[in-house]
Amino acid sequence: MSTEFRSKPKRIVVIGAGAVGSTTAYTLFLRKRAEEIVLIDVAKQKALGDALDMSHGLPFVGGIKLWAGEYPDCAEADIIIVTAGAAQRPGETRQDLLEKNSHIIQGIIKEVVAHNQHGIILMATNPVDVLSYLAWKTSGWESHRVIGSGTLLDSARFRYLIGNELGVDPRSVHAHIVGEHGDTELPVWSRANITGVPIELDAQEQASIFEQTKLAAYQIIEAKGYTSYAIALALDRICAAILSDEHTVLNVSALLDDYHGISDTYLGVPCVIGRSGIERIIDLGPSASELELLRASANALKQRIDWAMKAID
């Protein structure tokens, strides 16, 4: 069942006006991704301040209505981006956030679905795979309309580092990080290429690039306290694919059903994204060793999902 976008102004609601939420709203604003952008946060003054600050730039941008709103503003939203929750602190893993954020996300999703039954939920709060599953269960929506940002950012970091190593524009690098957005993620080196030509890096170079990819968020958080710019661009990219019905392939977190034997868990894999959300999941055809690591990542996530679902009962 596809999601229909009615003849009305496109609206994106961003829930959470922290570093990720405010930067995402600003990115959507600059790129004119929707005619209406709404910021919602429990800290209403922070959301108001961000909305006013951006609105004062309208003479330079134009064509957008932006305001600090409330949950009823979700009613007309095409996409609801959830960035709210406790932030990851230096030395803290994404998994450490699970207990803090499970209850927060459950409450947010209940508010969203009380006002909206036609839109798409885009989850960015960490640990994003587990919380995407929780959001799907809480919403009662079709899984293709509840999407996690997944390993899209990890894959972008991976492509950047490969391109930097080889002196190639990262947009020409086709390479994927799959699995958890976190410590059990894995690179699919067997499918990595530059315009169809396999990437030639030795084992040590591959290991170094992947280690930098996996530790990138920790490095940034240690340096400035949070990540914001690249994840905002990743969320904007997903919104563009949805609103323009692009049918483009992006590595997002999706509910898997017998994907190489993996079921009933959200995991970062390449998906075709269009107007209805996740249209289908792409099988990369990983090698045997990669598939083993992917299953291990899925098993780790399943345990955390089970814990999170019991915690909110």
Side-chain angles (χ1 to χ4, degrees):
M1 176 179 172
S2 65
T3 301
E4 294 184 3
F5 285 73
R6 296 160 287 170
S7 57
K8 62 175 182 61
K10 293 175 182 175
R11 180 182 296 183
I12 300 175
V13 171
V14 180
I15 300 175
V20 173
S22 59
T23 308
T24 298
Y26 188 54
T27 303
L28 297 167
F29 172 75
L30 288 179
R31 292 192 162 182
K32 297 185 178 181
R33 199 58 72 197
E35 289 87 353
E36 298 178 347
I37 299 172
V38 185
L39 268 171
I40 298 174
D41 197 288
V42 65
K44 294 182 180 181
Q45 287 300 110
K46 174 60 166 64
L48 176 62
D50 281 335
L52 285 173
D53 199 5
M54 283 183 263
S55 295
H56 294 165
L58 278 170
F60 309 114
V61 179
I64 297 170
K65 184 179 180 183
L66 188 147
W67 69 95
E70 304 283 353
Y71 282 108
D73 291 306
C74 292
E76 297 299 316
D78 300 294
I79 302 171
I80 302 99
I81 303 174
V82 181
T83 70
Q88 187 175 356
R89 298 176 179 176
E92 188 175 37
T93 69
R94 295 181 183 97
Q95 191 55 36
D96 291 334
L97 298 176
L98 181 54
E99 184 171 5
K100 298 178 186 177
N101 285 336
S102 293
H103 292 282
I104 294 172
I105 295 305
Q106 184 187 40
I108 287 171
I109 299 302
K110 285 181 176 179
E111 290 280 3
V112 169
V113 301
H115 300 285
N116 187 311
Q117 285 295 319
H118 70 271
I120 290 171
I121 294 172
L122 176 53
M123 294 295 303
T125 308
N126 278 318
V128 70
D129 305 289
V130 178
L131 294 178
S132 296
Y133 185 97
L134 188 154
W136 165 59
K137 282 290 192 181
T138 303
S139 70
W141 289 4
E142 305 99 324
S143 62
H144 67 86
R145 293 199 291 125
V146 181
I147 308 171
S149 56
T151 52
L152 183 58
L153 174 54
D154 309 84
S155 297
R157 289 167 172 156
F158 191 45
R159 293 165 61 201
Y160 162 76
L161 290 164
I162 292 171
N164 194 51
E165 178 71 21
L166 299 178
V168 174
D169 186 329
R171 292 174 296 179
S172 298
V173 177
H174 304 282
H176 301 268
I177 298 292
V178 298
E180 174 194 11
H181 173 56
D183 296 336
T184 66
E185 66 187 30
L186 62 134
V188 186
W189 284 109
S190 65
R191 294 294 185 182
N193 69 87
I194 297 174
T195 61
V197 179
I199 292 172
E200 295 185 1
L201 292 168
D202 62 34
Q204 185 175 353
E205 290 169 329
Q206 288 185 1
S208 175
I209 287 171
F210 175 54
E211 187 71 6
Q212 292 177 69
T213 301
K214 190 166 69 170
L215 297 179
Y218 298 119
Q219 180 184 11
I220 295 166
I221 291 167
E222 185 66 33
K224 73 169 195 173
Y226 56 87
T227 64
S228 57
Y229 298 122
I231 183 57
L233 287 165
L235 294 169
D236 171 76
R237 184 68 192 89
I238 298 169
C239 289
I242 293 168
L243 295 174
S244 298
D245 198 22
E246 289 183 0
H247 314 290
T248 196
V249 177
L250 300 173
N251 285 7
V252 298
S253 190
L255 181 70
L256 300 187
D257 181 19
D258 198 21
Y259 185 87
H260 292 284
I262 301 168
S263 296
D264 196 37
T265 188
Y266 267 72
L267 208 62
V269 291
C271 297
V272 178
I273 305 297
R275 186 172 298 175
S276 61
I278 296 172
E279 298 182 339
R280 65 182 185 275
I281 295 171
I282 302 296
D283 185 356
L284 274 176
S287 68
S289 59
E290 290 163 349
L291 186 54
E292 184 178 351
L293 291 172
L294 183 63
R295 287 172 175 156
S297 184
N299 288 335
L301 281 171
K302 275 178 170 288
Q303 292 177 15
R304 296 167 197 161
I305 286 170
D306 289 344
W307 185 92
M309 295 305 294
K310 289 175 183 176
I312 62 172
D313 280 346

